[in-house]
C-alpha cells in the first residue's frame, strides 16, 4: 500500500512538472500523513477510567455505610439474649442523655439515619448540642425475591444493618452546652419513634443493664476502707 501511494505521488509530480512552471506554481502540494489502522494514535483512543466496584452503590456523604468490607455477604445470626457477662455499652459515656434498647434488634442504616435526622432537627434550637451514634451499620443484608425456589445461592445485597443487644445505648446527646432534661427527653422520644424496638431514656446517673436486670454498682466509702484496714492490721498483730 505504501509503495502504491509513493508511485502515485511521484507520477503526480512528474505530470505537474511537464505541464509548465506556471501550472506547478498554481497547484499546491499537500503533504500526506500515513496513519496505520493497525496501531491507532493515543490521542484518538479513549481509555475509560477504572471503576471500583462498590457493594452498596454510590456512597454519599449522608449515608451510613462502610468504605470497604472483607466479604461481600454475611451470615444471618440470631442476636443472643444476654443473661450475664459485661455491661460495656449499656451506660452513657460521651454525652449527658441517651436512649437504650429494651430488646435485641437488627437496625438498618435507613432507620438510624431517620432517627438521627429527627434528633438533630429537634436540637437545632440548642446551639452547640452534639449527637453521638454508638453503633454503625457494617453488616450486609441480602434478600431473595418472594416465591423464589430454594437453592441457587444467597440473595443479592439489599441494605446495611447492625446488630444491637438488649441494653445497648444507641444515641447520646450532649456537648459543651447544657441541655434541659425536658428538651432532651422530647428529642430522644422523637428519635426512638423511628426505631422498630422499644427504648428507654437514660442519663449519666443511670445504672448499667444486663438483659432484664439492672446491675447495682457497689461503692466503697472511705470509712469502710479504713475499717477494713484496721481489721487487717489487728489480725496481723495478733
Amino acid at each position: 500500500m505504501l509503495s502504491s501511494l509513493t508511485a502515485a505521488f511521484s507520477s503526480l509530480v512528474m505530470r505537474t512538472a511537464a505541464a509548465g512552471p506556471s501550472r506547478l506554481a498554481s497547484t499546491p502540494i499537500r503533504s500526506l500523513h500515513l496513519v496505520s489502522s493497525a496501531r491507532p494514535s493515543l490521542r484518538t483512543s479513549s481509555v475509560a477510567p477504572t471503576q471500583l466496584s462498590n457493594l452498596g452503590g454510590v456512597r454519599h456523604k449522608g449515608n451510613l455505610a462502610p468504605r470497604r468490607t472483607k466479604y461481600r455477604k454475611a451470615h444471618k445470626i440470631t442476636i443472643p439474649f444476654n443473661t450475664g457477662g459485661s455491661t460495656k455499652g449499656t451506660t452513657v459515656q460521651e454525652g449527658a442523655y441517651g436512649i437504650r434498647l429494651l430488646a435485641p434488634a437488627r437496625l438498618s442504616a435507613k432507620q438510624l439515619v431517620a432517627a438521627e435526622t429527627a434528633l438533630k432537627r429537634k436540637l437545632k434550637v440548642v446551639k452547640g448540642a452534639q449527637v453521638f451514634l454508638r453503633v454503625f451499620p457494617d453488616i450486609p443484608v441480602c434478600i431473595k425475591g418472594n416465591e423464589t425456589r430454594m437453592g441457587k445461592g444467597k440473595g443479592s445485597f439489599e441494605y446495611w444493618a447492625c446488630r444491637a443487644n438488649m441494653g445497648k445505648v444507641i444515641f447520646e446527646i450532649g456537648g459543651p452546652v447544657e441541655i434541659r432534661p425536658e428538651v432532651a427527653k422530647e428529642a430522644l422520644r422523637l428519635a426512638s419513634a423511628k426505631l422498630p424496638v422499644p427504648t428507654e431514656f437514660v442519663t449519666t446517673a443511670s445504672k448499667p443493664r444486663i438483659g432484664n436486670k439492672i446491675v447495682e454498682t457497689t461503692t466503697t466509702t472511705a470509712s469502710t476502707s479504713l475499717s477494713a484496714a484496721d481489721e487487717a492490721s489487728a489480725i496481723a498483730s495478733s
Side-chain angles (χ1 to χ4, degrees):
M1 180 178 179
L2 183 61
S3 59
S4 60
L5 289 176
T6 306
F9 180 71
S10 58
S11 61
L12 177 62
V13 172
M14 292 176 62
R15 285 200 301 268
T16 53
S22 59
R23 178 76 177 274
L24 183 62
S26 61
T27 305
I29 300 176
R30 300 179 181 179
S31 61
L32 299 179
H33 298 279
L34 303 179
V35 180
S36 175
S37 59
R39 299 179 60 184
S41 176
L42 294 178
R43 296 181 181 179
T44 58
S45 62
S46 59
V47 180
T50 305
Q51 297 181 357
L52 299 178
S53 60
N54 191 2
L55 185 61
V58 180
R59 182 180 180 273
H60 299 285
K61 185 178 180 181
N63 291 357
L64 290 178
R67 296 184 182 274
R68 63 185 65 86
T69 54
K70 186 175 181 180
Y71 301 104
R72 291 178 57 85
K73 299 179 182 181
H75 291 288
K76 182 179 179 180
I77 302 175
T78 303
I79 303 174
F81 183 84
N82 294 337
T83 57
S86 176
T87 60
K88 182 179 180 181
T90 61
T91 56
V92 177
Q93 299 292 335
E94 302 293 338
Y97 309 96
I99 52 176
R100 186 164 57 186
L101 298 184
L102 294 179
R106 187 176 66 179
L107 306 175
S108 65
K110 188 176 181 180
Q111 294 169 351
L112 293 175
V113 169
E116 186 179 9
T117 303
L119 194 57
K120 290 182 178 179
R121 186 182 296 114
K122 184 63 178 179
L123 294 177
K124 188 182 295 185
V125 295
V126 183
K127 301 299 181 181
Q130 297 178 356
V131 178
F132 303 95
L133 180 62
R134 296 284 299 273
V135 295
F136 189 82
D138 57 349
I139 300 173
V141 178
C142 302
I143 295 179
K144 299 184 74 172
N146 296 332
E147 300 182 1
T148 304
R149 293 181 179 270
M150 296 178 63
K152 297 185 180 179
K154 195 175 178 65
S156 58
F157 171 80
E158 188 69 19
Y159 59 89
W160 295 100
C162 67
R163 303 186 187 103
N165 292 329
M166 183 177 182
K168 177 69 175 178
V169 176
I170 302 299
F171 285 102
E172 294 184 14
I173 58 176
V177 297
E178 183 179 358
I179 305 175
R180 293 186 298 174
E182 56 272 13
V183 176
K185 196 168 185 177
E186 178 63 19
L188 292 171
R189 185 192 66 82
L190 295 175
S192 63
K194 305 296 182 180
L195 302 177
V197 62
T199 60
E200 64 176 348
F201 177 77
V202 292
T203 62
T204 53
S206 300
K207 298 178 181 179
R209 187 187 189 104
I210 297 179
N212 290 327
K213 297 181 180 180
I214 300 296
V215 180
E216 298 291 340
T217 57
T218 57
T219 58
T220 58
T221 59
S223 59
T224 57
S225 62
L226 289 176
S227 62
D230 296 339
E231 184 179 357
S233 62
I235 294 174
S237 61
S238 61

